Amino acid sequence: MIRILSFIIVLAINTNSVCYANEILSMCSTDSPPYGGPSLPSGGFVEELVKNVATRAGYIPQIEYYSWARCVEEVKKGRIDIIYSMWENIDKHRQDFKFLFNNNSSISAFITLDSSALMSGELEHFEQVSLALHIGGGYDQDISNHKGFHFHYVSSDIQKLKMLLANRVDLIISNPVRIEYLLQNTSHHSKIKLKVLQPIIASHYASPAIPKNHPKIFEIVNRYNQAYIELCNEQFFQKLRIKHNVDFKQRDCPLPLSHAEETG
């Protein structure tokens, strides 16, 4: 009887591991150096972070890079499970997505040429200003509905930067660190100076996002978040920041999941 019971326990343990074996968690994002992207070592800080969390959660992570609009579309249509980094504090994002524990923090701001006459980031100062935005980007309505802007929609930050440098737009919205990286590393205009208008638009926490109608939302969220807590408490993220030389403000490690959180 003891042998039979031992066999059942071992079988249950093995069955549980088989359950997780070869289970793919597909993720996408847009190429966003210096934080994440296919050209960066190990995919950059954010990619390496989400891959390690997914692996700890028992998944095989698969990451694809698309334009932002296509990544969102692929996830919403169920062809990919997760957007691996999305701003949490955007109304449009919160309507459709549930956020997992977060990866990093950043800011968004109006950016222009240093020689521009534009001096303030307050919306009331923008009249007849051409502005480059991401197609499908997460912009609050006060910006999207502002009458003083002429909008130009593009698929990447590098396209925004090229339009700004060619004087095809007056202004772009992006993360200043990312734009400065692109200016220094992917442009022939590295001596041109840019300025970030104050006040900035917003500070953001960026987190993996899963559609609220995903059939496995509770399982994925619970497994990912539990793995995130474990790695956070092991100081893994601090080591990763040093490796990739990034400076992010990180929230405190989340508390262990309660039973209510685990069951959704």
Side-chain angles (χ1 to χ4, degrees):
M1 182 66 183
I2 294 174
R3 287 183 180 179
I4 294 172
L5 185 58
S6 301
F7 174 76
I8 292 171
I9 293 170
V10 171
L11 182 61
I13 292 169
N14 288 339
T15 305
N16 188 52
S17 355
V18 170
C19 223
Y20 285 178
N22 300 319
E23 192 173 357
I24 292 170
L25 185 66
S26 56
M27 298 180 268
C28 69
S29 187
T30 188
D31 188 10
S32 303
Y35 306 125
S39 63
L40 299 173
S42 304
F45 169 77
V46 181
E47 179 180 320
E48 189 169 2
L49 185 153
V50 295
K51 284 168 76 172
N52 274 275
V53 176
T55 301
R56 173 66 68 92
Y59 294 107
I60 298 173
Q62 286 189 353
I63 292 181
E64 300 288 344
Y65 285 94
Y66 301 122
S67 69
W68 178 253
R70 183 180 171 190
C71 177
V72 173
E73 180 185 13
E74 293 288 311
V75 172
K76 281 186 172 181
K77 289 187 174 178
R79 293 192 283 258
I80 289 179
D81 296 310
I82 285 175
I83 298 171
Y84 84 49
S85 185
M86 179 184 246
W87 288 343
E88 294 179 14
N89 57 329
I90 302 295
D91 292 339
K92 192 164 94 173
H93 294 171
R94 289 197 298 256
Q95 288 171 8
D96 299 326
F97 293 92
K98 180 175 178 62
F99 291 97
L100 289 73
F101 287 154
N102 82 291
N103 297 334
N104 60 75
S105 61
S106 65
I107 66 169
S108 59
F110 293 111
I111 303 169
T112 188
L113 298 174
D114 190 55
S115 57
S116 169
L118 296 170
M119 300 300 292
S120 170
E122 299 284 0
L123 284 178
E124 62 264 24
H125 295 138
F126 296 128
E127 294 293 338
Q128 302 299 310
V129 172
S130 55
L131 173 66
L133 303 174
H134 259 94
I135 299 168
Y139 305 105
D140 284 333
Q141 290 187 355
D142 57 346
I143 292 174
S144 304
N145 297 333
H146 185 61
K147 303 290 186 188
F149 289 137
H150 298 296
F151 298 111
H152 299 264
Y153 292 96
V154 298
S155 60
S156 68
D157 275 322
I158 190 64
Q159 287 179 304
K160 291 182 198 174
L161 179 59
K162 286 179 178 178
M163 291 183 75
L164 182 64
L165 295 176
N167 291 303
R168 293 173 57 197
V169 293
D170 303 309
L171 202 59
I172 63 176
I173 292 178
S174 189
N175 173 269
V177 175
R178 186 181 308 152
I179 293 299
E180 186 62 30
Y181 178 92
L182 293 173
L183 181 67
Q184 298 302 323
N185 291 275
T186 63
S187 158
H188 299 299
H189 302 82
S190 58
K191 293 183 180 178
I192 293 180
K193 291 185 178 179
L194 305 178
K195 64 183 175 184
V196 178
L197 300 184
Q198 299 296 328
I200 63 169
I201 296 170
S203 296
H204 306 276
Y205 277 104
S207 303
I210 184 168
K212 290 182 176 178
N213 62 356
H214 192 293
K216 292 187 175 182
I217 182 170
F218 295 119
E219 177 192 337
I220 291 173
V221 170
N222 290 336
R223 285 170 60 181
Y224 185 97
N225 284 353
Q226 183 58 50
Y228 183 97
I229 292 171
E230 292 173 10
L231 287 170
C232 188
N233 287 327
E234 292 168 13
Q235 307 295 309
F236 174 74
F237 304 143
Q238 284 86 338
K239 296 171 188 173
L240 213 54
R241 282 183 176 82
I242 294 168
K243 174 182 175 180
H244 291 282
N245 193 28
V246 293
D247 183 19
F248 284 132
K249 179 184 176 184
Q250 182 183 330
R251 293 165 170 161
D252 293 336
C253 292
L255 296 173
L257 298 179
S258 67
H259 177 70
E261 288 172 316
E262 288 179 354
T263 55

